Structure formats: structure tokens, C-alpha cells
Amino acid sequence: MTVHTEILLIAIAVSIACAIPGVFLVLRRMSMMADAITHTVFLGIVLAFFVTEDLNSPLLLVGATVVGVGTVWLTEMIYNTGLVNEDASIGIIFPLLFSIAIILVSLYSGNAHLDVDTALLGEIAFAPFDRWIVNGTDLGPVSLWISLGVAVINLVLVMLFYKELQLSTFDPLLAGLFGFMPALIHYVLMTMVSLTVVASFQAVGAILVIGLMIGPAVIAYLWTDSVKAMLTSSILIGIICAVIGTEVAFTLDVSIAGAIATTIGLALLIAVICTPKTGYIATYLRQRHLRRHYRETMMLCHIYTHMNTPVAAIENGIGTIHEHLNWKPDYTHQAATHLKKQGLLYVTNGYYMLTDKGVAQVKEII
């Protein structure tokens, strides 16, 4: 297996692991919590390193996960005081814990390969060099197996607690009435997020973990109408972005993490523009249709009001009706042409008259 293939597989595995909890973060409007956890878990790694003095110790994973869950607990404790909103509470805890980690690294880890840039930016190109060797057999990159393991754990947990996760996400009160313990489910989800962050950012960096966790989920949210479809779509979108970004990076000889993050950003931009319900194109077409419908309805009502009256020739005249509607002549002509095509009005003696169909439509309105 080539290094290129191994990097591609690591990117795919990380994207799957991140996409699963990312869906529920987006649905719960907790996207910023992912950003906070990706930074504060660095404190857990630092503290665990001080205890073990081994960067390969599994206790680093445990410490980081505990601090990640602790971040959520501290944030909610401050929020529950009622003195600040949720965003502000995240803004208090996130810099505090991350700053403590930076200070500890600066003071006590000068001789260790433990630094902020490595944790935040990562370098997936180096991940294949950390091999998992058992009895002399090379089983591949450690990051690949860790990411696959976390992806499987996340998938199994979502399958086991799908109903609880779904109900507690949309209606925590009802979930509590059914005995689903929404608080426990919440912390299970936050543990998934913390574990995923810790397992992933060693290979790809915290910044890309945020992108892979939130980006595909947001894109899937824009395109789908159900949680199951959103989960499936998020995983597929994450894989596609990871593959495209990796291949672009190799082709252009640029940062792999940067290329993947850029691909996610472009995919999100396309989704924002093109989604059939909420995209800019759909919104523009819908608004244009509403404006045209409103314009035509006003014209029909105006003609109906003055039809068969002494002032019909003036109020409904081809050359004068735009003055009474306060419209431009071209604007009026376009509306009249479209109404003629629909068989709602016709011209007689130089002014507009409604057909029976047009009269019936106006009566439905009024």
C-alpha cells in the first residue's frame, strides 16, 4: 500500500468518525462546542503527559476525553446560572482551559515534542510514518486504525441510542417524560465528540477536525429532510470532500488539510447557493414568482374595479393604466402580456377587459 493510499484512507476514516457526531451537534445548535472541545482537549493531553511522560501513552486519550467532557460541564454550569448565554459561557471556558494548556507547555515541556501548532494544525502527510507493528508485522498507520475504531464506536452508539438521541435533540422534555434521560444522552454525545476530536486531531489537526465535523453536517442539513438521511449524506459528503481535497493537494503539492478544508468550504458554498428549498437560487426564483403573482393580482383587481364603469377607458387604458398603478410602462406591459397568455384578460377599444376566467379568479381573491 502506497503512502498516497494510506493518507487517503486516513482522511476517509477521520471524515466518517467526525461526520457522525457532527450531525447531532448541528441539529442541537452546538457547533461552537466542537470548536471549544478541539482546543480544550489539549489541556487533557498536557496533563496526562505530565503524569506518564510518554506521548504514546493511551492515558493521553483518556485525559483529553475527560477534559473535553469537563469543558461541556463547566460551560453548562456557567450557562445555568442565568447570568450569561450559551455562546458567552463557551467564550469563557474555551480560552481559559486552552490558555492554561499553552502556559503549561511553555513552562514545563520545552524538551518534549508537544506544541500548540502540532495539535492545532496537524499534518496528515506524516501520519503514515507512525506504524502499528505487531510481532514484526506491519499493520499500517496507527492513525488509520484509531480513526476506524472511533468511527465504528460512534456508529454503534448512534445505532444503539438513535431514538434517544433523536428525541432528546428535538424535544428534551418529552424525552425525559419517556424516561430517556436526556442529560445522560447529552453527555454520551459529548463524550463521542471528545473521543473523536482526540483520536482525529493527532493525524489531521484540530482545525480540520472542526471542518470535518461541522461542514458535511451543515451541507447535509441543507439538502435533507430527515435525521437518517442527514447522517448518511453527511458521511458521504465527508468522504467525497476528503478524497477530492487529498487528490487536489497531491496534484498541486499543497497542504492536504488545507485542501480538504477548502473543498468543504466550496461544497458548503455550492449548497448555500443551490439547495432546492433554502438556496439563494431557489429563494430568488420563489421571490420573483411571488412578486410577479402580486403584480398580476393587483392588475386584475384594478381592471375588475373599473371595468364597465364610465372611467374604464382611462383607468384601464393600454396607454394610461400604468399611471394609475404607479408602474413603469414596460413593467405593466410584461404583466399584461403574461395575463393574456393565461387567458385572464383581453384588449377591446384600446383598454383592458377581463375574461370570464379572469373575473372568476378575482372573485376568488376578494
Side-chain angles (χ1 to χ4, degrees), residues 49 55 109-115 118:
F49 172 74
L55 285 173
S109 299
N111 297 323
H113 184 60
L114 183 66
D115 58 80
T118 300

Short mmCIF file of all heavy atoms in Angstrom, two decimals, residues 49 55 109-115 118:
data_model
loop_
_atom_site.label_atom_id
_atom_site.label_comp_id
_atom_site.label_asym_id
_atom_site.label_seq_id
_atom_site.Cartn_x
_atom_site.Cartn_y
_atom_site.Cartn_z
N PHE A 49 0.32 13.87 29.86
CA PHE A 49 1.74 13.74 29.53
C PHE A 49 2.61 13.98 30.75
O PHE A 49 3.63 13.31 30.96
CB PHE A 49 2.12 14.71 28.42
CG PHE A 49 3.59 14.77 28.14
CD1 PHE A 49 4.23 13.74 27.47
CD2 PHE A 49 4.34 15.86 28.58
CE1 PHE A 49 5.59 13.79 27.23
CE2 PHE A 49 5.70 15.92 28.34
CZ PHE A 49 6.33 14.88 27.65
N LEU A 55 4.42 10.32 25.13
CA LEU A 55 3.46 10.84 24.16
C LEU A 55 2.64 9.76 23.49
O LEU A 55 1.65 10.05 22.82
CB LEU A 55 4.21 11.65 23.08
CG LEU A 55 4.71 13.04 23.51
CD1 LEU A 55 5.56 13.66 22.42
CD2 LEU A 55 3.54 13.95 23.85
N SER A 109 7.35 21.88 29.19
CA SER A 109 7.52 20.86 28.15
C SER A 109 8.45 21.33 27.04
O SER A 109 8.26 21.01 25.87
CB SER A 109 6.15 20.47 27.56
OG SER A 109 5.33 19.94 28.56
N GLY A 110 9.45 22.10 27.40
CA GLY A 110 10.36 22.64 26.39
C GLY A 110 11.14 21.59 25.65
O GLY A 110 11.49 21.75 24.48
N ASN A 111 11.41 20.45 26.30
CA ASN A 111 12.22 19.40 25.68
C ASN A 111 11.39 18.30 25.05
O ASN A 111 11.93 17.32 24.54
CB ASN A 111 13.18 18.79 26.72
CG ASN A 111 14.17 19.81 27.25
OD1 ASN A 111 14.63 20.66 26.50
ND2 ASN A 111 14.48 19.73 28.54
N ALA A 112 10.09 18.40 25.12
CA ALA A 112 9.22 17.36 24.56
C ALA A 112 8.61 17.84 23.26
O ALA A 112 8.40 19.03 23.05
CB ALA A 112 8.10 17.02 25.56
N HIS A 113 8.31 16.87 22.40
CA HIS A 113 7.68 17.20 21.12
C HIS A 113 6.18 17.36 21.34
O HIS A 113 5.36 16.56 20.93
CB HIS A 113 7.96 16.12 20.09
CG HIS A 113 7.42 16.46 18.72
ND1 HIS A 113 7.82 17.58 18.02
CD2 HIS A 113 6.50 15.85 17.95
CE1 HIS A 113 7.19 17.62 16.85
NE2 HIS A 113 6.37 16.59 16.80
N LEU A 114 5.84 18.40 22.06
CA LEU A 114 4.45 18.68 22.40
C LEU A 114 4.25 20.17 22.26
O LEU A 114 4.73 20.96 23.07
CB LEU A 114 4.16 18.24 23.84
CG LEU A 114 2.72 18.40 24.35
CD1 LEU A 114 1.80 17.47 23.59
CD2 LEU A 114 2.66 18.10 25.84
N ASP A 115 3.60 20.60 21.19
CA ASP A 115 3.44 22.03 20.96
C ASP A 115 2.06 22.34 20.41
O ASP A 115 1.35 21.47 19.93
CB ASP A 115 4.52 22.55 20.00
CG ASP A 115 4.48 21.84 18.67
OD1 ASP A 115 3.62 22.21 17.85
OD2 ASP A 115 5.29 20.92 18.46
N THR A 118 1.39 21.80 16.50
CA THR A 118 1.16 20.40 16.12
C THR A 118 -0.27 19.98 16.42
O THR A 118 -0.92 19.31 15.61
CB THR A 118 2.13 19.48 16.89
OG1 THR A 118 3.47 19.85 16.55
CG2 THR A 118 1.91 18.03 16.53
#
